[in-house]
Amino acid sequence: MTQAADPNPAFDYRPPDLPLDIIHADDEIVVVNKPSGLLSVPGRGEHLSDCLMSRIKSAFPTALLVHRLDMDTSGVMVFALTPHAQRHLGLQFEKRQTKKTYVARVWGEMAEATGHVDLPLCVDWPNRPRQHVDRENGKPAQTDWRRVRIEDGTTRVRLMPKTGRSHQLRVHMKEIGHPILGDPFYAEGPARDFPRLMLHSESLKLRHPNGGAGMLFRAPAPF
C-alpha cells in the first residue's frame, strides 16, 4: 500500500520515538518492522521530515526505497541497499511476484469465512488523499480476505492484496461494510474510536536479489 499523509499544513505529526526494529539485514537488503504513526518517506515541510526512510539511512547510508506503507499502518517493509537490489525488488513488486499478508481488526462480525473484493479505485480529488471506488475511471484492485475470529463485535481478519493501490485495504473493507478499526479516513463513530489504525503488514515473501532464493519475513501484529 502506498503512503498518504494528511495534506493539511496544520497536521499534528507526532512520530513514535522508538528504536529501529530490524528483522533482517545483509549486503543487499534490510527488512524492518515499521511502527504505526511514522511516515515511510518525508512529507512536505520540515515538520514531516522524520520518517522511516531517514531513520534507516542513519543506520544504513546506502538504503534505497522499494515500497511504502501508509503512515498509520505498521509492519514489514523492505529497503534495498544497492541499486541492483532496488531494481530487482522493484520489478517483483511491479509484476506482483511478492506475497503480502496483513492482519486487521474490522468493525462488525463477518458472517463468511473467506471472501474476495474486486472494486476499482482512484483518488477522491476533492478529499485527497482519500480514495474511492470508481467503476469507470478507477484502476483494478483486488483483495482476498480470511476471517480469523470474532472479538467482541469486531472481526480479526487476514487480508491478502492482489494489487497495491493506495488505501486499497482500507477502502475495500469499508465498502463491504466492515471498516478497519481506528481508521481516521474511512471509519465513523465507534469504529473510529481506537488508539490507532488496526492494520498491520504481518508478512512479506520475496526473492532475494542475490541469487533469487525465496525469503519470508514476518512481524507479529501488536494488537
Side-chain angles (χ1 to χ4, degrees):
M1 303 303 99
T2 55
Q3 170 182 300
D6 192 322
N8 187 336
F11 173 49
D12 186 17
Y13 181 46
R14 298 184 182 182
D17 184 15
L18 297 170
L20 285 175
D21 185 358
I22 306 295
I23 298 171
H24 171 88
D26 58 40
D27 291 340
E28 296 281 348
I29 63 174
V30 56
V31 184
V32 298
N33 181 15
K34 186 186 91 66
S36 176
L38 181 66
L39 290 166
S40 292
V41 298
R44 294 179 181 176
E46 183 61 30
H47 67 299
L48 300 178
S49 61
D50 186 12
C51 62
L52 186 57
M53 183 81 248
S54 63
R55 294 184 185 188
I56 286 289
K57 273 189 164 294
S58 67
F60 301 89
T62 64
L64 298 165
L65 188 71
V66 175
H67 67 128
R68 306 178 188 186
L69 291 176
D70 289 345
M71 181 187 74
D72 296 321
T73 304
S74 57
V76 181
M77 274 188 71
V78 61
F79 292 84
L81 295 180
T82 66
H84 162 73
Q86 186 185 40
R87 289 191 298 270
H88 195 283
L89 293 171
L91 282 173
Q92 291 184 55
F93 277 91
E94 181 182 331
K95 295 180 179 180
R96 302 177 188 172
Q97 295 172 341
T98 59
K99 293 188 182 299
K100 295 175 282 186
T101 301
Y102 292 74
V103 172
R105 285 185 63 198
V106 301
W107 185 253
E109 299 183 359
M110 303 184 83
E112 304 296 325
T114 62
H116 176 76
V117 185
D118 185 355
L119 293 171
L121 303 176
C122 74
V123 65
D124 182 4
W125 285 107
N127 301 297
R128 60 185 184 276
R130 290 171 174 81
Q131 310 289 311
H132 66 169
V133 173
D134 187 331
R135 289 178 170 81
E136 292 185 2
N137 303 307
K139 295 181 179 180
Q142 297 90 31
T143 303
D144 290 335
W145 60 264
R146 183 173 68 252
R147 186 184 63 201
V148 177
R149 62 178 178 270
I150 304 297
E151 301 175 333
D152 299 324
T154 70
T155 306
R156 182 176 293 263
V157 293
R158 280 199 168 85
L159 305 173
M160 289 74 71
K162 302 305 177 186
T163 51
R165 308 301 176 200
S166 182
H167 289 193
Q168 176 178 316
L169 302 179
R170 300 162 72 167
V171 177
H172 277 177
M173 290 298 99
K174 176 185 78 78
E175 288 295 321
I176 64 172
H178 298 282
I180 297 175
L181 302 180
D183 193 328
F185 288 152
Y186 306 105
E188 297 178 352
R192 186 173 177 173
D193 190 21
F194 284 79
R196 59 157 290 180
L197 175 70
M198 298 294 180
L199 178 62
H200 176 80
S201 174
E202 180 185 46
S203 68
L204 174 62
K205 186 176 182 180
L206 51 80
R207 290 181 292 107
H208 195 277
N210 185 8
M215 303 185 79
L216 176 64
F217 304 105
R218 299 176 60 88
F223 51 80

